[in-house]
Amino acid sequence: MQGEWHKITIFAQNLYLNPMKNLIRMASVPLVAAAATACSSVQTEQPWIVDRFDDIKVIRYEVPGFEQLPLEEKELVYYLAEAAKCGRDILYDQNCAINLPVRRTLECIYTAYAGDRTTAEWKSLEKYLKKVWFANGIHHHYSNDKFVPEFTEEYLLSVIESIDEAAFGELNAWRGEVCRAIFDASLYPTKLNQKAGEDLLLTSASNYYSGVTQAEAEGFYARMAAADKGNPTPVSYGLNSQLTKDEQGNLVERTWYLEGMYGAAIKEIVYWLEKAEAVAKEPQKTTISHLIAYYKTGDLKRFDAYNIAWVADTESNVDFVNGFIEDYGDALGRKASWESIVNFKDKEACHRTEVISANAQWFEDHSPINPAYRKPEVKGVSAKVITVAMLGGDCYPATPIGINLPNADWIRRDHGSKSVTIDNITYAYDKATQGNGFNEEFVLRAEDRERMKLYGKLADDLHTDLHECLGHGSGRLKEGVSPTALGSYSSTLEETRADLFGLYYIGDAKMVELGLVPSFELAKAAYADYIMNGMMTQLSRIEPGKDVEESHMRNRKLIAEWCYEQGRDEKVIEWVVENGKRYLVVNNFERLRELFGQMLCEIQRIKSEGDYEAGQALVEQYAVKVDPELHQEVLERYRALNIEPYGGFVNPEYELVKEGDKVVDVKITYPANYTEQMLNYAANYSFLPNKN
Ligand code: ZN
């Protein structure tokens, strides 16, 4: 089942992670219009950015409408939000086995150090800790590279020695390993290695496999799949376990459940889920009970039961994700990182996605692909705009801006999927990034800038909607083709498919007819933006000398470069140099749209037929390698703008208001201090031992 868990994270990067998109949104969105679409109650002028360090900015988000929820829904949000915070340590350990001791050692230092906190070295140490918090470990959340400390080992040791040993407790025994993890560049160099030809497991620092080679892991799961061959509803083998060896050298899974690995954190999650179950109404009560049963047993069939119940429930106002969901962190695309999001419907903003969903069959029937690979009946496309109330695990502090779940192909096929976009997050991001000069720097033509200004926000929203509500759910496999046939290329190709679906249709007259798009001018804004990002500006997030690794970035590069190449003779897309700076210009938007259609046809064919070689060839030719000169130029121009390329969020805090034993209200507050929130979580939501 490799590769089937890739569908959740979204176009997210386009917004909060992707500087160029952000830019477009921010520089462009007329505030009033943005506010009017969804977040009309979020108009207070408070500082949105609560911290900045390195390449990161941390933003606060508001939760409009929370106060107006009925009491039982507020209480439900509260319990689910507590559950969302309890799995945080799991992600740290999944990312790398040394992460918890490193974080705790640094937190201990940060809290106890009585020396000079104004020196450059202390500031560097503080920055390092902030980066560890942001990345949930010692590797960059996006590039996966290990952080390089800007303080010396001698300094760190001198700080440690100035603190009473008792303050460190058990951590004293970890000091040597912690120092090596921080300072030895050859140890844990990358969290996730995807270089074809290397042993992807032995060279990745993530903790999904321990002492196991790639060939052993692949063999282990191939045997498991073979034993289950022909089962139309297979579980997602390996999703919730670490693969390791026992004392005799046999491969064994250590399952993540109440009595197993990560049990101490799962116990807390279950405690709060049981509280949530008690106040939830049907059918949600049953959904939560399935999830609890899954956490208690580790049985993936129960996880499927939970997903089926979850996807069927489109009515509950409050909703949530909680579990081992995303497989992006596993080189084999099998093991899922822990995450949680708690949310409720943003009813006013749902109109857009309702219209798209209501016309799902029309879009499928007109998709520019081989008719044999269209879905005769598009099922269960549900879409809504939500307001996030709490982010946890792999959704915090960096978060997706859309969700499309569940991931298992057969559940999607038989039961459909739920798709949401998160408006209060994107709104906060827009607010935090207004006016940073990006478009002026990278967009050559005034007409493009003008269009981006007018339509950028709506174009982004609609592309996300199309990608999530329709793109991932469209198309079908040829009979007998394995959903895992595309192997390690499946994430990139799947995102490519969904993005192309969105790009193609955002320029379709149908969108105008449906009243969602004013004219083709909006597509022009989206296309110019997409091409520029895919071929150029997204390189600002990559370190010099590195390849493009992340699957959403790869997919954007693949699409833009392929279209550039295909339309080269006609100059559909053109490089223009002015004043020594390179710019990308789209000369023929209509033709570009046709190219998107042709490419969608080919990518769908590759997926439907499981054509691994063709998929590999496309990705390796267009999506991976970076032109070093262009890269250098982008980095310099981007650096001159002084914009942090990554953003993440601090959560609100919730408090039960009681009269005696009775809950009478839930109070929400918005903390404005990133460090305080992290220390608070460390003190109150850290349940795992140092070694798991
Ligand atoms: Zn996607």
Side-chain angles (χ1 to χ4, degrees), residues 6-11 328 467-468 472 495 498 552:
H6 54 243
K7 293 173 196 106
I8 177 179
T9 298
I10 338 329
F11 206 46
Y328 291 111
H467 174 120
E468 294 298 336
H472 280 307
E495 293 310 324
H552 295 82

Coordinates of all heavy atoms in Angstrom, one line a residue, residues 6-11 328 467-468 472 495 498 552, ligand 1:
H6 N -0.7 9.9 0.8 CA 0.0 11.1 0.5 C -1.0 12.3 0.3 O -0.6 13.3 -0.2 CB 0.8 11.0 -0.8 CG 0.0 10.4 -1.9 ND1 0.3 9.2 -2.4 CD2 -1.0 10.9 -2.5 CE1 -0.6 8.9 -3.4 NE2 -1.4 9.9 -3.5
K7 N -2.2 12.0 0.5 CA -3.1 13.0 -0.1 C -3.5 14.1 0.8 O -4.2 15.0 0.4 CB -4.4 12.3 -0.6 CG -4.0 11.4 -1.7 CD -5.2 10.5 -2.1 CE -4.8 9.4 -3.0 NZ -4.8 8.1 -2.2
I8 N -3.1 14.1 2.0 CA -3.6 15.1 2.9 C -3.1 16.5 2.7 O -3.8 17.5 2.5 CB -3.5 14.8 4.4 CG1 -4.1 15.9 5.2 CG2 -2.1 14.4 4.7 CD1 -4.0 15.7 6.6
T9 N -1.8 16.6 2.6 CA -1.3 18.0 2.7 C -1.3 18.8 1.5 O -0.3 19.3 1.1 CB 0.0 18.1 3.4 OG1 -0.1 17.6 4.6 CG2 0.4 19.6 3.5
I10 N -2.1 19.0 0.8 CA -2.6 20.1 0.2 C -1.7 21.0 -0.4 O -0.5 21.0 -0.3 CB -3.1 21.1 1.3 CG1 -3.4 20.3 2.5 CG2 -4.2 21.8 0.7 CD1 -3.8 19.1 2.2
F11 N -2.3 21.9 -0.9 CA -1.8 23.1 -1.5 C -1.3 23.9 -0.4 O -0.9 25.1 -0.6 CB -3.1 23.7 -2.1 CG -2.8 24.6 -3.2 CD1 -1.9 24.2 -4.2 CD2 -3.3 25.9 -3.2 CE1 -1.7 25.1 -5.2 CE2 -3.1 26.7 -4.3 CZ -2.2 26.3 -5.3
Y328 N 4.3 11.6 4.5 CA 5.4 12.3 3.9 C 6.7 12.1 4.5 O 7.8 12.3 3.9 CB 5.1 13.8 3.9 CG 3.9 14.2 3.0 CD1 2.7 14.7 3.6 CD2 4.0 14.2 1.6 CE1 1.7 15.0 2.8 CE2 2.9 14.5 0.9 CZ 1.8 15.0 1.4 OH 0.7 15.3 0.7
H467 N -8.3 21.5 -6.5 CA -7.3 20.5 -6.1 C -7.8 19.5 -5.1 O -7.7 18.3 -5.3 CB -6.0 21.2 -5.6 CG -4.9 20.3 -5.1 ND1 -3.7 20.3 -5.7 CD2 -4.9 19.5 -4.1 CE1 -2.9 19.5 -5.0 NE2 -3.6 19.0 -4.1
E468 N -8.4 20.0 -4.0 CA -8.8 19.2 -2.9 C -10.2 18.5 -3.2 O -10.3 17.4 -2.9 CB -8.9 20.1 -1.6 CG -7.6 20.6 -1.1 CD -6.6 19.5 -0.8 OE1 -7.1 18.4 -0.5 OE2 -5.4 19.7 -0.8
H472 N -7.9 15.3 -6.4 CA -7.5 14.1 -5.8 C -8.5 12.9 -6.0 O -8.1 11.8 -6.1 CB -7.1 14.2 -4.3 CG -5.8 14.8 -4.1 ND1 -4.7 14.4 -4.6 CD2 -5.4 15.9 -3.3 CE1 -3.6 15.1 -4.2 NE2 -4.1 16.0 -3.4
E495 N 0.2 14.7 -6.5 CA 0.0 16.2 -6.3 C 0.0 16.9 -7.7 O -0.7 17.9 -7.9 CB 1.1 16.8 -5.4 CG 1.1 16.3 -4.0 CD -0.3 16.4 -3.3 OE1 -1.0 17.4 -3.6 OE2 -0.6 15.6 -2.5
A498 N -3.5 16.5 -9.1 CA -4.5 17.3 -8.5 C -4.3 18.8 -8.8 O -5.2 19.5 -9.1 CB -4.5 17.1 -7.0
H552 N 5.4 18.5 -3.0 CA 4.6 19.6 -3.6 C 5.5 20.5 -4.4 O 5.1 21.0 -5.5 CB 3.9 20.4 -2.5 CG 2.8 19.6 -1.8 ND1 3.2 18.7 -0.7 CD2 1.5 19.5 -1.9 CE1 2.1 18.2 -0.3 NE2 1.0 18.6 -1.0
Ligands
ZN1 ZN -2.8 17.5 -2.7

